[in-house]
Amino acid sequence: MENSISNPLALIAELTHRCPLHCVYCSNPLELQARTSELSSEVWSGIFREAAEAGVLQADLTGGEPLARTDIVDLVRAARDAGLYVNLITSGLPMDEARLAALVEAGLDHIQLSFQGARENIANEISGALSHSQKLRVLEWLKSYRVAVTLNFVIHRRNIDQLQEMLALAESSSATRIEFANVQYYGWAFANRENLLPTRQQLDRSVEFLNREQERLQGRIRVEFVVPDYYAKYPKPCMGGWGRKLMLITPHGDALPCHAAQVIPGLSFENVKNRGLREIWEQSAAFQKFRGEGWMQEPCKTCDRRGLDFGGCRCQALLLAGDASATDPVCSLAPLRPKVDAILASLNLISDPVGAGPAPPAPEPVTRPSWLYRPNPS
């Protein structure tokens, strides 16, 4: 463990696993926590106060779908009263304008509205629900309120060719930030990886386009885009490094270093109902497990980049290398990088066998396709 542990900067409050959508890349765990085990609003209020005392600056209210909580307005107010910057990460379902007004009045600072695409048929196909038209209504309502807006487009092979339409949608809104978030391949996305990973040709076109658009929109809208992990030269610093910046609380109170940490065998997690937030952050075995550099194997152990990417994603290392302590195999320096290269080679050979570009989109209308695994309704 490092001699000096900095304060957590953000608290990710996973309020519920309930959700009206059934996205094919859902990061919810396979064992969804039941409504009956969700923390009460009183317990969450105490957590927000503890977080602020521990140095946390921002609360990200998420899920599942946080709007599934009937007390969401009270939770926003409690987080704001604790002195935290309050960000709501939502699909916009279920939402009406009166509820939006109540959230803003309660102290909501920022809303991150997710989209599954720019076209209704693909968006509804991916989300497993008739969701797109509702998102557009929420986007229109937001123009009337003093609240910061980010649009989050989850990118994959089925919608990466809609980037221009996504940007046009954002430009017609009150959003000041657009996040093109490539699917992360764990959870349900790992099961659907072969059908969601973009081709090399799709990726090259998208990077060229977004670089050009970033320059055009500079000073007006912030455009963020990260290359899909499997195509990257080096891994991203997952969660800003294990136990360095963020703490996630599950619906029933377990404290995790990252969204998917529960997939790693041998880890046990402290619960906020039994132990204080600061004590968990500083002393719990789960947060210490991959904090710092002492756990690292070669080549990470002596790599000049170890303080930049912190070995990459531990959950991805487990899924691809079978060892959560291994160098993330997406790294070009990793011993198992050839495994990732083989996955990409197979994908691009199938999708573009004669250099003719990616396979054409499915004919409209698109119904729920048989090639997608979906999480069970919660």
Side-chain angles (χ1 to χ4, degrees), residues 21-190:
L21 308 186
H22 313 297
C23 300
V24 297
Y25 42 71
C26 182
S27 62
N28 271 347
L30 297 181
E31 296 297 325
L32 300 177
Q33 292 166 9
R35 179 176 185 171
T36 53
S37 69
E38 291 174 4
L39 299 178
S40 67
S41 54
E42 291 76 19
V43 172
W44 275 115
S45 296
I47 292 170
F48 296 143
R49 290 192 296 271
E50 275 193 74
E53 291 168 3
V56 169
L57 302 176
Q58 176 169 316
D60 295 318
L61 308 185
T62 183
E65 173 47 65
L67 293 177
R69 295 274 305 220
T70 57
D71 58 352
I72 185 62
V73 174
D74 295 331
L75 292 171
V76 167
R77 183 177 293 109
R80 197 69 186 90
D81 287 347
L84 300 174
Y85 182 90
V86 186
N87 175 33
L88 181 68
I89 301 172
T90 178
S91 68
L93 287 77
M95 175 85 87
D96 57 35
E97 192 168 4
R99 200 177 196 196
L100 175 59
L103 288 166
V104 175
E105 185 180 357
L108 184 65
D109 295 292
H110 182 275
I111 187 166
Q112 179 176 304
L113 184 62
S114 68
F115 278 83
Q116 281 69 46
R119 302 171 195 164
E120 186 168 11
N121 65 316
I122 296 295
N124 291 345
E125 170 196 322
I126 294 297
S127 67
L130 299 176
S131 59
H132 190 70
S133 58
Q134 168 65 9
K135 292 172 184 287
L136 295 178
R137 281 191 289 272
V138 175
L139 199 58
E140 189 63 28
W141 295 334
L142 283 167
K143 293 178 181 179
S144 303
Y145 295 92
R146 290 176 61 88
V147 61
V149 178
T150 291
L151 300 191
N152 176 271
F153 293 95
V154 183
I155 305 300
H156 47 80
R157 192 195 314 176
R158 297 284 291 169
N159 68 7
I160 196 170
D161 295 321
Q162 300 175 24
L163 294 181
Q164 186 169 4
E165 296 164 67
M166 293 175 187
L167 274 174
L169 181 61
E171 286 190 81
S172 70
S173 74
S174 61
T176 56
R177 180 171 171 267
I178 314 167
E179 182 179 277
F180 293 104
N182 277 281
V183 168
Q184 302 300 306
Y185 294 99
Y186 49 73
W188 288 98
F190 190 75

